[in-house]
Amino acid sequence: IGARSRWHESQPECVGSTAAMPCDEFPENRTYEGGDPGATKHRPSLLKIPFADNSGLGGSFSQFRIQCGLADSQSFLVIPTPPALGIPTHRICG
């Protein structure tokens, strides 16, 4: 987990994003893999999505950090699954 940057806003996938359709990044911009300078080594996925979805995902990530007591530079594991599988999101701390 690191400092938030706005590096992705100048990328081709994000050009033309608006307040209603902001550009989202995965892994999250607050992580080393999704933010600058990690993005130069591990390019994240960038996609314009509805504001409500982007805001909800950001809020969920913030809650996860707080609930699990994750400090800056602390590692955690993410296991992405296809939505079609219908597997609910789980957060396991400890």
Side-chain angles (χ1 to χ4, degrees):
I1 299 173
R4 183 169 176 79
S5 66
R6 307 289 277 159
W7 71 271
H8 63 287
E9 292 176 353
S10 64
Q11 300 303 302
E13 301 93 332
C14 297
V15 171
S17 60
T18 64
M21 288 291 284
C23 195
D24 185 52
E25 67 293 327
F26 183 84
E28 287 83 359
N29 195 5
R30 294 291 305 260
T31 66
Y32 174 78
E33 291 82 0
D36 186 37
T40 58
K41 185 175 180 184
H42 309 281
R43 182 146 170 83
S45 170
L46 299 171
L47 181 68
K48 289 181 254 183
I49 64 171
F51 173 79
D53 293 340
N54 193 10
S55 178
L57 292 169
S60 292
F61 181 63
S62 292
Q63 286 179 348
F64 166 70
R65 288 185 62 200
I66 293 166
Q67 289 172 352
C68 293
L70 293 175
D72 285 351
S73 301
Q74 191 169 354
S75 298
F76 61 94
L77 175 66
V78 175
I79 303 172
T81 58
L85 293 178
I87 299 172
T89 298
H90 294 283
R91 294 177 187 91
I92 300 171
C93 305

